[in-house]
Amino acid sequence: MNWKKEFERCREYLAKNMKKSLPIVVGFNANIDAVKYLTEDFVEYLGTNNSRKQAVKKLSDLGRGIRESIDSGEANEWEVDNQLVYNKLLEKGFDEERIGGQAGIVTNLMARLGVKTNVLLPILSKKQAKFFVNRNVKVPVIERGKLRLRKPINAWNKNHPTRINCIFEFKKGFMGAPRSNRFILSYRPKGCKPIIDETIILYSKKFMENVKRVFLSGYQLLDSEEEFRKAKSQLLFMQQFSGNAKYHLEMTNVEDPRIRRLILKIGKEFNS
């Protein structure tokens, strides 16, 4: 089999048939992935410690987490718990930056396939906006009390922080790693949770009508039952205007059993 020809055939088929699903809505978690390909010098620089907490308050916590992933060959994701440490890491520099988060990745993929996509974002900074494909992508924003659909580059807010997750990748054999994988340092600035401006929700008929598919993610960023109730309330309100659209909930690995249960409860409102 000629895999290159087969890939092209599948790509053309997908692009042609995806257009039959126009338009779609995507939300909520988008970020920038700052990727670093690990070296032994960098791992040594971080150091390690004997703590058991899966959070990063100092560089040695990050070193410990990365070493655990390398030793096991398993992916892992910890949250940064110290802004100064996070800033210091960003200053060290990374090998590349790219769109991240399920919503960010899916939005750009659909746009490149020719699918008109409305993306719901709780925060959108100028830097983040530059990572979105502008063709076929619109972001609902409120301007002078009215809802407008703008290209990402015209929809950013100067008061919104930039969410950058740090991705540390390693290949099989690196420092004895049994397989290739990654360690993710997750940054969760204020406002990044999947709860949208209430005014946008009230005008949601404008971007939900005639939608065929809805892809939502990021509920793992919620912390309390009150937040989940709010998110569910917004979801149900938007569903009034989407007819027979199919809803897909994208999940990630969630260690906290309480948050897992709450996500599964809201998951009852989805088709898949």
Side-chain angles (χ1 to χ4, degrees):
M1 178 181 289
N2 186 319
W3 286 107
K4 186 175 181 180
K5 287 184 178 180
E6 184 66 12
F7 175 82
E8 285 301 317
R9 185 190 68 79
C10 291
R11 185 187 64 80
E12 291 171 4
Y13 175 85
L14 182 61
K16 178 181 177 181
N17 286 275
M18 284 298 290
K19 293 180 180 180
K20 296 178 181 178
S21 296
L22 297 178
I24 69 169
V25 168
V26 175
F28 298 98
N29 66 321
N31 57 265
I32 296 170
D33 282 347
V35 183
K36 189 171 190 66
Y37 302 105
L38 287 174
T39 64
E40 290 191 30
D41 286 344
F42 182 77
V43 176
E44 292 297 328
Y45 159 76
L46 295 175
T48 188
N49 60 45
N50 295 320
S51 175
R52 293 188 177 184
K53 293 184 178 180
Q54 295 189 347
V56 174
K57 291 187 176 181
K58 46 193 176 183
L59 289 178
S60 59
D61 291 327
L62 176 60
R64 172 171 52 87
I66 287 175
R67 288 170 187 267
E68 288 180 11
S69 280
I70 292 171
D71 291 344
S72 65
E74 296 178 357
N76 216 331
E77 180 173 349
W78 292 3
E79 187 176 347
V80 65
D81 199 21
N82 185 317
Q83 188 70 40
L84 292 177
V85 168
Y86 176 72
N87 292 343
K88 187 174 183 179
L89 282 169
L90 294 183
E91 290 170 3
K92 290 286 290 183
F94 286 76
D95 297 305
E96 64 175 284
E97 291 183 327
R98 59 197 183 209
I99 193 79
Q102 294 105 320
I105 293 168
V106 168
T107 295
N108 278 5
L109 174 62
M110 295 295 102
R112 289 192 172 102
L113 289 170
V115 178
K116 295 188 184 300
T117 305
N118 293 324
V119 56
L120 301 173
L121 300 169
I123 56 173
L124 180 62
S125 70
K126 184 177 182 179
K127 180 171 183 176
Q128 174 76 74
K130 293 178 180 178
F131 283 81
F132 277 102
V133 174
N134 277 282
R135 184 182 73 256
N136 297 321
V137 178
K138 293 294 179 65
V139 181
V141 295
I142 300 298
E143 295 178 355
R144 298 178 182 177
K146 294 185 178 181
L147 186 135
R148 308 290 185 192
L149 296 175
R150 301 296 190 199
K151 292 181 178 181
I153 200 61
N154 297 322
W156 57 273
N157 188 315
K158 66 179 181 180
N159 297 317
H160 287 178
T162 301
R163 186 181 179 211
I164 302 177
N165 284 349
C166 303
I167 314 295
F168 301 94
E169 297 194 349
F170 55 89
K171 292 189 177 295
K172 180 179 179 179
F174 175 75
M175 296 182 71
R179 65 182 65 86
S180 299
N181 225 318
R182 53 169 41 185
F183 180 92
I184 301 173
L185 180 63
S186 175
Y187 176 56
R188 300 182 179 184
K190 184 178 179 180
C192 73
K193 296 179 180 182
I195 297 174
I196 301 298
D197 183 322
E198 273 298 314
T199 309
I200 290 177
I201 297 299
L202 289 174
Y203 285 105
S204 57
K205 181 177 180 179
K206 184 171 181 179
F207 56 82
M208 294 300 294
E209 273 191 321
N210 302 316
V211 163
K212 301 297 183 184
R213 298 289 185 271
V214 180
F215 176 102
L216 301 179
S217 59
Y219 289 106
Q220 72 274 7
L221 300 175
L222 299 175
D223 294 313
S224 67
E225 291 194 24
E226 181 181 353
E227 288 178 342
F228 273 94
R229 282 195 294 269
K230 180 69 172 178
K232 182 177 179 179
S233 173
Q234 292 192 343
L235 171 65
L236 294 176
F237 186 86
M238 291 189 292
Q239 284 181 335
Q240 298 178 80
F241 310 113
S242 57
N244 295 320
K246 300 297 184 183
Y247 281 71
H248 173 73
L249 170 62
E250 185 73 6
M251 287 186 65
T252 186
N253 182 49
V254 179
E255 296 292 338
D256 188 329
R258 180 180 64 88
I259 299 299
R260 247 193 337 261
R261 286 194 297 270
L262 290 170
I263 293 174
L264 291 174
K265 285 179 68 175
I266 203 170
K268 294 178 181 179
E269 308 301 331
F270 290 78
N271 301 101
S272 62

